[in-house]
Amino acid sequence: MADLRINLAGISSPNPFWLASAPPTNTGYQVQRAFEAGWGGAVWKTLGDPIINTSSRFAAVHFNGQRVAGFNNIELITDRPLEVNLKEIAETKKRFPNHAVVVSLMVEPKREKWHEIVKRVEAVGVDGLELNFGCPHGMAERGMGSASGQQPDLVEAQTMWVKEAAQTPVIVKLTPNITDITMTAIAAARGGADAISLINTINSLAGVDLDSWNTIPHVGGKGAHGGYCGPAVKPIALNMVAECARSPHIHIPISGIGGISNWKDAAEFMLMGATGVQICTAAMHHGFRIVEDMIDGLNNYLDDKGLASVSELIGKSVPRYSDWGDLDLNYQVVARIHEDNCIVCNKCHIACEDTSHQCIERLETSDGRSYLKVREEDCVGCNLCAIVCPVEDAITMVEIPSTELPMSWNQRQKAIGSMGQNEAPGAKEAV
């Protein structure tokens, strides 16, 4: 079995699976249950001034028979007194000394407020702090959460204030509700952050009830935007993690968050640069015991790959992630339909005919049997047919050897520019 232990900016845990700061980490009872189930760490639900929450708070987006494809919440930070939380944090860390206990914090953007809460929280023996600059609702309307997280100067300043008082590693949690998340990540690094975590939830409205016309959820007939998470946000989160991991200006570890539901998701985040992952929606949907399958699955994967430690995964796919302008324009794949597996449902033909490049033909054999065939000379390798096909391996994408040398858009434009400069003197002489 591989070594699943991780060390995130000095915070160690027996495996990379942490519970994110959210309802599952609201009490010592819950966090201790999670550690008993096998979770390696937990980020305690955000502490701050006592909050009054609303009822109801959650909503979900179900899609094509899948429950909780996306999850929306309008819940705020902990609504329990700070003293109660601190007592339970101390008890939890004493009982589970080898597990990571990180505490999420949020206060007004004032130096003295940050100093005060940092000192009180660290006094009970936490392993690290996470600064919540991501909550998109409720707290943002009060100048905290994403209202701070959307301003790089405030991210940098508040991180500096925390580092002035902190004795434990400081993680800055970033909001995705911004044009370029690397700008706030760089600001956090400038402020002295030991690590960043991303993403927090995305601004969202789960839906509208077509009978009552109320928003979903609603509070006494009124609604508000909330935070969106769950499997649906994974591609967005994975991209933002990758952008931070490949930035030449960010050299601190990353804790990956956003739509992670199983060990495969976790492995993808680690390949794209995350040292460890934080999970919320999947635990809320299925309970704490899901971590058992995550641990077993990741262990088996690492064994199959011949890797001795999970740390060997970190960032291995980052060099393969680039900009569109660096992609090889002469690389080509085409679709091939395998008759033995094809059920002739015609979904690929319809998709290609109506919305792609009209290169799948419906044909018949001499005995009247229908079959589908790709006209490869017209196929651009868009993948659509393979995506809509309901049968595994009925359509595969096959690389076509190119007679041209690799050439990206950026290389092409550079070559054109060089040609123009070389031709310019001759042109003047001709005049």
Side-chain angles (χ1 to χ4, degrees):
M1 293 176 60
D3 184 358
L4 294 188
R5 291 175 298 176
I6 66 163
N7 186 299
L8 178 78
I11 305 170
S12 61
S13 70
N15 63 59
F17 301 112
W18 294 6
L19 285 172
S21 171
T25 62
N26 191 43
T27 67
Y29 170 78
Q30 292 170 282
V31 174
Q32 290 174 35
R33 276 178 57 83
F35 288 166
E36 288 171 350
W39 292 85
V43 183
W44 208 275
K45 188 171 183 182
T46 306
L47 305 184
D49 290 331
I51 292 297
I52 299 175
N53 267 300
T54 61
S55 177
S56 60
R57 308 175 192 179
F58 301 149
V61 175
H62 310 306
F63 180 74
N64 199 28
Q66 179 184 343
R67 303 289 292 181
V68 196
F71 191 81
N72 170 278
N73 86 89
I74 56 170
E75 182 164 304
L76 303 183
I77 65 176
T78 183
D79 52 13
R80 304 189 312 139
L82 180 60
E83 294 75 14
V84 173
N85 276 293
L86 293 179
K87 179 175 179 290
E88 294 178 9
I89 291 167
E91 292 170 351
T92 301
K93 187 58 190 175
K94 182 177 180 180
R95 186 177 171 196
F96 294 92
N98 297 322
H99 289 66
V101 177
V102 176
V103 176
S104 176
L105 303 176
M106 183 193 296
V107 294
E108 299 173 67
K110 296 179 180 178
R111 176 185 266 116
E112 62 274 14
K113 289 279 190 179
W114 281 111
H115 284 189
E116 178 185 354
I117 197 166
V118 165
K119 290 174 182 177
R120 293 190 67 182
V121 171
E122 288 194 329
V124 301
V126 302
D127 296 303
L129 308 172
E130 183 180 79
L131 313 187
N132 185 346
F133 295 147
C135 185
H137 56 273
M139 309 309 296
E141 284 82 346
R142 308 173 197 197
M144 296 176 276
S146 64
S148 287
Q150 290 167 339
Q151 301 184 58
D153 57 336
L154 277 179
V155 171
E156 180 178 358
Q158 292 180 91
T159 304
M160 289 177 63
W161 298 340
V162 170
K163 288 294 292 181
E164 288 171 353
Q167 302 298 312
T168 61
V170 174
I171 306 168
V172 172
K173 189 173 186 179
L174 303 176
T175 177
N177 301 303
I178 194 167
T179 304
D180 183 355
I181 201 167
T182 64
M183 299 306 294
T184 46
I186 292 169
R190 280 200 309 262
D194 299 290
I196 52 175
S197 59
L198 59 148
I199 61 173
N200 210 312
T201 53
I202 302 170
N203 278 336
S204 63
L205 172 62
V208 179
D209 187 307
L210 295 181
D211 292 321
S212 68
W213 298 356
N214 281 328
T215 61
I216 304 173
H218 73 90
V219 180
K222 286 190 178 294
H225 73 276
Y228 196 53
C229 54
V233 311
K234 176 193 161 188
I236 299 168
L238 195 60
N239 166 66
M240 290 188 173
V241 166
E243 289 296 335
C244 289
R246 76 186 185 103
S247 170
H249 307 294
I250 303 169
H251 303 289
I252 53 178
I254 298 170
S255 181
I257 315 170
I260 300 164
S261 303
N262 52 51
W263 72 264
K264 292 182 179 178
D265 296 334
E268 289 182 48
F269 272 77
M270 296 187 78
L271 285 167
M272 293 312 306
T275 296
V277 296
Q278 298 183 33
I279 297 162
C280 170
T281 306
M284 294 179 73
H285 191 183
H286 302 293
F288 289 152
R289 296 295 294 273
I290 61 170
V291 76
E292 296 174 1
D293 288 338
M294 292 181 176
I295 291 171
D296 288 344
L298 186 57
N299 251 320
N300 292 335
Y301 174 73
L302 295 171
D303 288 346
D304 289 344
K305 288 292 185 182
L307 300 177
S309 169
V310 70
S311 63
E312 296 179 54
L313 278 184
I314 300 170
K316 287 297 186 290
S317 293
V318 173
R320 304 186 183 199
Y321 196 59
S322 186
D323 296 319
W324 190 94
D326 294 324
L327 304 180
D328 181 9
L329 300 175
N330 291 326
Y331 178 81
Q332 185 180 5
V333 295
V334 297
R336 286 198 184 149
I337 299 172
H338 305 284
E339 288 188 45
D340 291 345
N341 297 330
C342 179
I343 60 174
V344 198
C345 67
N346 291 321
K347 287 190 72 69
C348 63
H349 175 265
I350 293 168
C352 187
E353 196 72 13
D354 288 354
T355 65
S356 192
H357 289 80
Q358 301 81 48
C359 63
I360 297 180
E361 299 178 332
R362 298 173 60 181
L363 305 170
E364 286 190 0
T365 62
S366 57
D367 59 0
R369 179 177 58 84
S370 296
Y371 69 100
L372 298 161
K373 185 177 179 61
V374 177
R375 198 168 57 255
E376 293 188 5
E377 61 271 22
D378 294 325
C379 178
V380 300
C382 71
N383 296 348
L384 179 60
C385 58
I387 290 170
V388 302
C389 179
V391 180
E392 192 75 23
D393 295 328
I395 302 177
T396 56
M397 306 304 297
V398 181
E399 181 180 348
I400 300 298
S402 176
T403 58
E404 304 289 338
L405 293 174
M407 172 70 75
S408 71
W409 174 262
N410 290 336
Q411 290 171 328
R412 178 181 180 274
Q413 295 306 103
K414 185 177 180 180
I416 291 173
S418 297
M419 288 173 57
Q421 292 174 4
N422 292 336
E423 291 171 358
K428 289 179 180 179
E429 291 171 7
V431 171

